Amino acid sequence: MNSPVYVLGTGLSHNGSAVLLKDGRVCVGIEKERLNRVKHDGGNDNLAIQYCLDAEGIQLKDISLVVQCANFDIPDRNQYKGKRLFTEAPDLKIVDISHHLAHAYSAVGTCSFSECAVMVIDGCGSPLDQFLKLHPEQKTYINLEILNEVQMVCEKDSFYHFDGQKLIPLIKDFSKMAEKSGGLFSLPTTQHSIGGFYASVSHYVFGDMDDVGKLMGLAPFGKSGVYDFEAFKFKSGNLFVNEDWKNQFTNPSKGYEYFKNNFDYYANVAKWAQEQVEKAVLKCIQNRLEKFPHKNLCYSGGVALNAVANAKLQDSKIVENIYFEPAAADNGLALGCAFYGWLEYLKMPKVPHDGSTCFGKTYTNAEIEAAYNKEENRKYNSKKFSNVNDLADYCAEKLNQGKTIAWFQSGSEFGPRSLGRRSILAHPGIEGMKDHINLDIKFREDFRPFAPAVLKEKVNEYFLHGRNSPYMILVDKTKSEHLEKLKNVTHRDDSARVQTVEESWNSKFAKLLTAFYKQSGIPVLLNTSLNKKGMPIVETPEEALDLFEITALDILVMENYVIEK
């Protein structure tokens, strides 16, 4: 029997990760932050790679190929912010690819299309000199003006065609880096990128770079039309940022208290910025598709996590089918590296992906019991269910009574969203539940919304557009007749970042939703990530128990074990 072919992808910029393919299919993948508990961490990749090797039960010598990607440099095989594991495998082949190529392959490797267009939009990709060193044959796709630029320029958006095996670049746009002036909007992004613009406004509004997605959550509290100037302009088909918008904003946040005292002002700024991004994304993608039409589109890069802009893009009908890559930000680079290795470098045929984005390892009963049996956990009550339907019925009953449940099942999600493997779950309609979770469990800002997880076959009944949204990456509107019973998962403007739950790769979560529907008459649960503010999503049983201890969570379910306070 032939040995399996393993390809390892590793991403070393911020949001570092590692992904292992076995014969063209993802067998394991993890973000570094889940292991060392430092949010958005990157750099040295030993932890994430070792996790993948251990989960699959293999060694470096079993790997056929490694593909790697870092933002601003080409990592040395033996040293990168510390000694690397590859020093022990000097014969192992290591290939380097550029930032946007990794984003693009992460999408085409996991999409269902046999052929498609691919759009990548983010804040900052590979510098031009590094890009040309890696891909000298692509010089012809780059504007002469960019090639002659004396300052450092980096990728800001890229458009490709995927023919089922390889990516062909069609349009590559680069931008100068934003000037490091120390001013209000000085950030390590490109000057003319949508991602850079959004990050700088987020920094202005919140005073930190912890979670750019907060801006999208704040925007519905603002009013349209307060500001009548444009952030972006198009020239010769390329996107540029109008620098003079920065002169309009002179009151940056000085911390959370200051933000709260000036809430309406910052909400209006967020609303303006969100609307600017929506227009820019649509215009940019429309421009590319007019030149190179295709009915299928893959979309990746950090900007592709903007669920509101994504819904507008889908509603625009500029293409028939869009696949939004669930790990669209830099955590997905390792996934793209691995698929590049399989498809482009090894020239192996694409293997259909099952739609799952849960690539973590499953923890055994023994590992769960070892964590739970520590002295400090004796104060909790516990029981073990032998039947998954009985477990679902019991948990559904508790949720219907208003209990909050930490739900820890199987391999963890890869990407920023908890989808029913590492989730906090609650009733979507009980009065005060949203505020209780924000205040006493997540310890985060009270304006931030929670997502509804809904049985896929019921989405049309409860939400206006009935979008298929398995990765919680599109917004919809809650239907008016269901606003009261879904008050904890419906945002200020009646929007909801829906997750449609599929039994094929999320069966235990689907069973729980079905049981809750039978008991409550509502096929929807509040679903948010199993963490608190500033903390990466929980990975291990020990971490789940620690979070359970320090928050107001009522119940922790790990596989078939139920632990209650």
Side-chain angles (χ1 to χ4, degrees), residues 177-476:
M177 293 297 287
E179 289 174 23
K180 290 186 178 173
S181 60
L184 293 183
F185 302 101
S186 178
L187 285 174
T189 63
T190 54
Q191 188 178 339
H192 294 292
S193 67
I194 297 173
F197 163 78
Y198 206 67
S200 62
V201 177
S202 182
H203 192 253
Y204 175 84
V205 167
F206 300 114
D208 64 50
M209 278 291 289
D210 277 354
D211 189 354
V212 173
K214 283 195 294 193
L215 202 63
M216 190 174 69
L218 177 62
F221 291 91
K223 292 192 184 92
S224 292
V226 174
Y227 304 107
D228 64 353
F229 43 88
E230 298 294 318
F232 298 97
K233 63 186 174 194
F234 274 80
K235 201 168 74 183
S236 309
N238 289 344
L239 181 77
F240 294 90
V241 174
N242 285 319
E243 286 298 293
D244 53 0
W245 70 267
K246 296 176 180 178
N247 303 326
Q248 311 289 334
F249 299 123
T250 55
N251 185 21
S253 176
K254 298 177 178 70
Y256 189 51
E257 283 306 311
Y258 191 83
F259 165 82
K260 282 199 293 187
N261 293 335
N262 295 274
F263 185 83
D264 289 346
Y265 167 72
Y266 290 117
N268 289 337
V269 174
K271 182 74 170 177
W272 170 80
Q274 175 62 35
E275 289 175 345
Q276 293 295 308
V277 163
E278 290 163 21
K279 285 195 285 187
V281 165
L282 250 71
K283 179 95 175 159
C284 198
I285 294 176
Q286 206 162 10
N287 175 280
R288 304 309 187 236
L289 284 164
E290 279 169 6
K291 290 175 183 163
F292 301 99
H294 204 287
K295 67 175 185 175
N296 302 325
L297 176 70
C298 280
Y299 180 30
S300 190
V303 176
L305 289 176
N306 192 305
V308 180
N310 289 351
K312 293 267 173 77
L313 179 60
Q314 195 177 66
D315 291 343
S316 73
K317 301 279 194 285
I318 57 176
V319 287
E320 283 179 38
N321 311 297
I322 308 179
Y323 171 67
F324 299 94
E325 211 282 83
D330 283 8
N331 42 19
L333 293 177
L335 188 61
C337 285
F339 278 116
Y340 171 91
W342 178 259
L343 293 165
E344 169 65 10
Y345 193 87
L346 296 179
K347 303 282 190 285
M348 300 296 274
K350 184 178 166 182
V351 179
H353 182 63
D354 65 0
S356 173
T357 187
C358 303
F359 306 145
K361 74 173 213 175
T362 298
Y363 291 84
T364 63
N365 288 347
E367 287 170 312
I368 291 168
E369 285 172 12
Y372 173 67
N373 287 332
K374 289 178 179 166
E375 185 66 39
E376 61 267 30
N377 298 322
R378 295 279 158 83
K379 59 193 172 203
Y380 304 132
N381 302 313
S382 76
K383 54 169 76 79
K384 185 184 179 189
F385 285 81
S386 55
N387 182 292
V388 70
N389 292 320
D390 293 343
L391 172 74
D393 288 341
Y394 182 82
C395 292
E397 187 184 337
K398 295 295 181 184
L399 288 162
N400 204 23
Q401 291 167 5
K403 301 291 187 188
T404 53
I405 292 183
W407 183 253
F408 180 111
Q409 299 292 339
S410 193
S412 59
E413 301 89 344
F414 187 84
R417 306 279 173 249
S418 284
L419 303 171
R421 301 294 186 89
R422 299 288 186 278
S423 289
I424 293 168
L425 305 173
H427 196 293
I430 288 177
E431 191 67 46
M433 183 61 78
K434 173 181 176 286
D435 291 338
H436 166 57
I437 296 173
N438 267 332
L439 184 67
D440 304 318
I441 296 174
K442 300 286 281 189
F443 307 116
R444 67 179 199 177
E445 302 88 347
D446 58 5
F447 68 84
R448 295 177 70 178
F450 292 111
V454 58
L455 288 168
K456 186 179 175 180
E457 61 272 19
K458 290 288 178 184
V459 67
N460 275 301
E461 215 174 293
Y462 285 78
F463 300 97
L464 199 60
H465 298 280
R467 302 182 198 282
N468 181 35
S469 178
Y471 311 118
M472 212 189 277
I473 208 167
L474 292 161
V475 295
D476 209 323

Side-chain angles (χ1 to χ4, degrees), residues 96-240:
D96 294 273
I97 64 170
S98 58
H99 194 89
H100 279 196
L101 196 61
H103 274 313
Y105 268 102
S106 75
V108 299
T110 52
C111 76
S112 60
F113 308 136
S114 56
E115 200 183 315
C116 58
V118 186
M119 188 82 212
V120 176
I121 306 177
D122 63 6
C124 183
S126 293
L128 178 63
D129 58 347
Q130 178 196 326
F131 173 83
L132 290 174
K133 199 180 285 182
L134 295 172
H135 315 293
E137 75 288 350
Q138 292 190 26
K139 191 173 182 176
T140 53
Y141 300 102
I142 299 163
N143 191 304
L144 195 60
E145 203 176 309
I146 294 291
L147 291 172
N148 292 334
E149 181 60 63
V150 290
Q151 292 185 43
M152 182 181 185
V153 293
C154 294
E155 295 172 306
K156 71 178 180 71
D157 61 77
S158 299
F159 192 67
Y160 303 87
H161 174 72
F162 179 64
D163 66 4
Q165 189 70 39
K166 68 179 289 181
L167 280 162
I168 298 119
L170 300 172
I171 300 172
K172 297 277 308 174
D173 200 9
F174 288 74
S175 164
K176 288 186 287 193
M177 293 297 287
E179 289 174 23
K180 290 186 178 173
S181 60
L184 293 183
F185 302 101
S186 178
L187 285 174
T189 63
T190 54
Q191 188 178 339
H192 294 292
S193 67
I194 297 173
F197 163 78
Y198 206 67
S200 62
V201 177
S202 182
H203 192 253
Y204 175 84
V205 167
F206 300 114
D208 64 50
M209 278 291 289
D210 277 354
D211 189 354
V212 173
K214 283 195 294 193
L215 202 63
M216 190 174 69
L218 177 62
F221 291 91
K223 292 192 184 92
S224 292
V226 174
Y227 304 107
D228 64 353
F229 43 88
E230 298 294 318
F232 298 97
K233 63 186 174 194
F234 274 80
K235 201 168 74 183
S236 309
N238 289 344
L239 181 77
F240 294 90

Side-chain angles (χ1 to χ4, degrees), residues 408-554:
F408 180 111
Q409 299 292 339
S410 193
S412 59
E413 301 89 344
F414 187 84
R417 306 279 173 249
S418 284
L419 303 171
R421 301 294 186 89
R422 299 288 186 278
S423 289
I424 293 168
L425 305 173
H427 196 293
I430 288 177
E431 191 67 46
M433 183 61 78
K434 173 181 176 286
D435 291 338
H436 166 57
I437 296 173
N438 267 332
L439 184 67
D440 304 318
I441 296 174
K442 300 286 281 189
F443 307 116
R444 67 179 199 177
E445 302 88 347
D446 58 5
F447 68 84
R448 295 177 70 178
F450 292 111
V454 58
L455 288 168
K456 186 179 175 180
E457 61 272 19
K458 290 288 178 184
V459 67
N460 275 301
E461 215 174 293
Y462 285 78
F463 300 97
L464 199 60
H465 298 280
R467 302 182 198 282
N468 181 35
S469 178
Y471 311 118
M472 212 189 277
I473 208 167
L474 292 161
V475 295
D476 209 323
K477 291 260 184 187
T478 302
K479 288 186 175 179
S480 56
E481 63 267 33
H482 298 302
L483 284 170
E484 184 59 27
K485 64 179 82 164
L486 299 186
K487 66 173 79 139
N488 296 315
V489 293
T490 301
H491 206 20
R492 173 69 172 254
D493 55 356
D494 295 345
S495 67
R497 196 180 65 210
V498 175
Q499 176 201 356
T500 47
V501 178
E502 311 207 7
E503 188 147 7
S504 61
W505 56 268
N506 226 343
S507 65
K508 225 169 186 179
F509 193 33
K511 276 186 169 60
L512 176 63
L513 271 163
T514 302
F516 182 74
Y517 178 39
K518 279 181 188 157
Q519 293 185 32
S520 68
I522 309 169
V524 180
L525 281 170
L526 180 155
N527 179 15
T528 186
S529 51
L530 187 52
N531 62 351
K532 65 184 182 74
K533 188 185 177 204
M535 169 194 280
I537 294 170
V538 159
E539 169 60 22
T540 66
E542 290 85 357
E543 288 154 13
L545 281 156
D546 288 346
L547 187 70
F548 186 58
E549 165 71 24
I550 62 171
T551 65
L553 280 160
D554 298 308

